[in-house]
Amino acid sequence: MSSIDYAEKIPNNVNLQNDRTLQRALEHWQPRFLQWWHEMGPTDFESANVYLRTAISVDAQGWAHYGALKMPDYRWGIFLADPVADRKIGFGDQMGQPVWQQVPGEYRSTLRRLIVTQGDTEPASVEQQRMLGHTCPSIYDLRNLFQINVEEGRHLWAMVYLLHAYFGRDGREEAEELLARHSGDQNKPRILTTFNEPMLDWLSLFCFTYFTDRDGKYQLKSFAESAFDPLSRTCRFMLTEEAHHMFVGETGISRVVKRTLEVMKELGTDDPARIRAHGAIDLPTLQKYLNFWCSSSLDLFGSEISSNSASNFASGMKGRPDETTYDDHVLRDKTMKLGTPEGEQEVPMLNALNEVMRESYLKDCEIGLKRWNRMIERAGHDLRLTLPSSRFRRSIGPWAGVPVDTHGKMIDRAEYERRLEDWIPNERDRAFVASLMKKVVEPGKMAGWIAPPERGINNLAIEHEYVGLH
Ligand SMILES: [Fe+2]
Ligand SMILES: [Fe+2]
């Protein structure tokens, strides 16, 4: 069931060879994808031999193959998790009925929009990260960046497969558009704001993979619950790859904290200026980067009060992450209290599901914070890293544009404007972090602002030549 046919142009476990029309349509899209990769993917590393993992099956025991290859030769394929026999809809008004193998007409445009919006984030992040190879802190990190990039490319394939296979001509047109929009493009930007933010340094990459890829995890988890079975199966397998992206974020920030603490100990100071002069990232600067990427990612869950979230759930299109862990799967009689700038409001639970998702996401975000704070505490320092309030710097929902400090307290607008540069990276912070970004590619060597990882990839040594540049 789940083996991949590598003789095919497009590796897949969806019996593509039995659907010639679909196969031809995707083979027509493939060179466009490769052209996009060439133009918008990582710059200047097309001839490098990168030690990459490639998905070769959906078998939990051994789904990936590891080996050195050139990125344009990566086998981007289409893999769906094995079907669950007699799977039933697990939530909403149609709970208990069989899941859909085709798209019901009345949900067609909404489902297409949901898939396009998810699909758009995948190539967007590759575009955002395309310059980072030139300033990698080590070739271990360089490899991880490229691993994430090729897998986001595969996630694009996953969504394009659904569009081609289930949405006819509209779907094919959307697949073209996914390659036509570009991150940060004035005329044709990516759909979501976070995916148009420039990413010029590795501290941003680690925060992005910690916060924004984790939003991806939560979106995929909610789609894994979907009554549209092909979407559910696609997203279940994507989650397997997504875990590594968040690993890069969490361990990346851990290594920054570790190195900073070493420098603080060596110098016997917590003075940011002296830490910076020594080439490490002071913790208050790290806090600003956390504030920036966390608040930006919180908008991705949508408005606190949303009729779309209600209808997506009631219809069965999009569940809550880990839906089975809840007691009530219909939610017609429940309400939720939400804080808004006008005071507390009681809204139907169905309309508050974006907030439910945002809250469980924030709990997941706390795990890394606890780990980093333990490191700081053990080193004998009082400072603690924190997540900003979910009301801070929002541009969607009732808190959009409301002047709020990082603790969620409403403040005077002038004070907000004045203090914002103390809460998120200002020009000087960004210039300082940029000044640290020097390419280090000698195997096993690390840039001075980051500690080595605890172990290498796939049981290889940290000194392994993960990217062959010659
Ligand atoms: Fe992804
Ligand atoms: Fe990802």
Side-chain angles (χ1 to χ4, degrees):
M1 188 69 224
S2 56
S3 69
I4 308 298
D5 187 351
Y6 268 84
E8 295 289 326
K9 253 185 166 174
I10 303 166
N12 72 89
N13 71 344
V14 294
N15 281 324
L16 206 52
Q17 62 284 1
N18 292 346
D19 187 340
R20 288 291 168 193
T21 315
L22 176 59
Q23 186 178 22
R24 261 198 302 274
L26 285 167
E27 283 176 3
H28 186 68
W29 188 79
Q30 189 176 38
R32 293 167 190 241
F33 168 81
L34 290 170
Q35 183 64 25
W36 166 81
W37 179 271
H38 177 67
E39 286 167 11
M40 301 304 291
T43 61
D44 296 333
F45 289 92
E46 293 207 324
S47 62
N49 276 305
V50 189
Y51 185 74
L52 290 175
R53 125 184 132 173
T54 305
I56 52 161
S57 92
V58 295
D59 181 352
Q61 298 310 311
W63 62 274
H65 167 81
Y66 285 83
L69 67 148
K70 296 182 171 55
M71 282 185 281
D73 298 332
Y74 193 78
R75 303 296 313 272
W76 285 281
I78 300 162
F79 316 119
L80 271 61
D82 287 336
V84 174
D86 291 323
R87 184 169 168 251
K88 301 282 193 289
I89 301 175
F91 60 92
D93 296 340
Q94 300 173 62
M95 184 163 166
Q97 292 179 28
V99 292
W100 318 321
Q101 297 306 330
Q102 291 296 329
V103 181
E106 66 268 44
Y107 305 140
R108 196 178 172 83
S109 63
T110 309
L111 263 176
R112 192 183 65 218
R113 190 71 199 154
L114 289 171
I115 291 168
V116 165
T117 306
Q118 177 62 38
D120 194 68
T121 66
E122 316 287 358
S125 67
V126 177
E127 293 167 355
Q128 283 173 294
Q129 296 163 18
R130 68 190 303 259
M131 298 306 292
L132 291 175
H134 296 287
T135 55
C136 63
S138 73
I139 58 169
Y140 163 89
D141 291 288
L142 186 61
R143 177 267 169 201
N144 284 346
L145 169 69
F146 293 157
Q147 182 69 59
I148 293 170
N149 292 162
V150 292
E151 285 176 349
E152 302 303 8
R154 205 199 68 72
H155 291 176
L156 171 60
W157 270 96
M159 294 298 122
V160 163
Y161 164 71
L162 294 177
L163 290 170
H164 272 244
Y166 297 96
F167 294 88
R169 176 201 283 260
D170 295 350
R172 290 193 294 278
E173 281 171 9
E174 294 284 14
E176 298 294 323
E177 287 296 300
L178 283 168
L179 298 176
R181 286 183 292 270
H182 297 309
S183 179
D185 191 310
Q186 292 293 317
N187 302 314
K188 258 183 169 293
R190 290 294 176 181
I191 296 170
L192 302 166
T193 306
T194 308
F195 294 89
N196 288 304
E197 296 285 2
M199 198 181 303
L200 302 170
D201 61 73
W202 282 72
L203 190 57
S204 295
L205 175 74
F206 293 139
C207 291
F208 180 93
T209 46
Y210 189 78
F211 289 109
T212 313
D213 283 88
R214 192 175 311 273
D215 159 74
K217 168 184 167 182
Y218 274 73
Q219 301 300 336
L220 294 177
K221 271 171 159 293
S222 67
F223 288 132
E225 306 289 338
S226 179
F228 180 40
D229 203 42
L231 175 62
S232 163
R233 291 171 56 200
T234 305
C235 291
R236 264 184 281 149
F237 185 64
M238 288 163 74
L239 280 164
T240 319
E241 291 161 319
E242 202 60 54
H244 175 70
H245 309 178
M246 286 171 292
F247 163 87
V248 168
E250 174 165 353
T251 55
I253 297 172
S254 286
R255 290 160 56 208
V256 169
V257 171
K258 186 174 175 197
R259 178 64 193 137
T260 301
L261 291 170
E262 284 169 8
V263 168
M264 287 164 78
K265 188 171 173 192
E266 208 181 303
L267 301 177
T269 182
D270 57 7
D271 175 9
R274 291 193 56 205
I275 296 162
R276 284 185 173 200
H278 207 79
I281 296 167
D282 54 294
L283 296 176
T285 297
L286 170 59
Q287 178 67 64
K288 289 182 176 187
Y289 277 74
L290 298 177
N291 290 344
F292 180 89
W293 287 103
C294 183
S295 56
S296 180
S297 302
L298 286 169
D299 270 339
L300 296 171
F301 291 90
S303 178
E304 274 75 351
I305 304 169
S306 161
S307 55
N308 284 344
S309 84
S311 56
N312 293 347
F313 185 88
S315 63
M317 283 185 270
K318 191 176 177 185
R320 286 167 293 186
D322 305 304
E323 183 62 44
T324 51
T325 61
Y326 295 89
D327 296 327
D328 181 345
H329 302 290
V330 182
L331 301 176
R332 284 283 170 197
D333 317 311
K334 286 233 164 65
T335 58
M336 185 171 169
K337 289 201 174 84
L338 287 179
T340 73
E342 291 78 39
E344 198 169 71
Q345 275 188 43
E346 190 157 351
V347 299
M349 181 67 97
L350 282 171
N351 294 65
L353 289 178
N354 288 342
E355 187 59 12
V356 171
M357 234 169 118
R358 190 165 16 242
E359 281 176 3
S360 55
Y361 164 82
L362 279 169
K363 264 196 207 117
D364 205 46
C365 288
E366 284 286 355
I367 296 170
L369 273 285
K370 278 199 190 108
R371 180 161 308 160
W372 308 325
N373 282 332
R374 262 200 309 275
M375 294 166 68
I376 297 168
E377 190 180 355
R378 260 190 258 121
H381 300 284
D382 296 331
L383 184 144
R384 295 290 175 265
L385 298 168
T386 55
L387 295 176
S389 161
S390 62
R391 299 170 181 183
F392 173 67
R393 209 177 74 92
R394 289 289 302 280
S395 48
I396 288 175
W399 294 97
V402 179
V404 163
D405 70 10
T406 52
H407 302 290
K409 194 173 143 256
M410 277 168 78
I411 54 173
D412 182 69
R413 183 166 302 277
E415 185 189 354
Y416 175 80
E417 304 287 346
R418 198 173 59 242
R419 293 182 64 191
L420 192 58
E421 70 150 24
D422 299 331
W423 292 325
I424 60 170
N426 59 36
E427 295 273 302
R428 297 176 310 281
D429 299 322
R430 291 194 184 276
F432 165 69
V433 171
S435 76
L436 297 179
M437 299 296 128
K438 302 260 163 60
K439 184 168 167 182
V440 177
V441 288
E442 197 181 317
K445 276 258 166 12
M446 298 289 142
W449 56 271
I450 190 165
E454 276 172 20
R455 56 188 69 83
I457 295 296
N458 196 29
N459 294 320
L460 293 177
I462 293 169
E463 297 76 22
H464 184 79
E465 193 172 3
Y466 290 100
V467 183
L469 294 168
H470 320 290

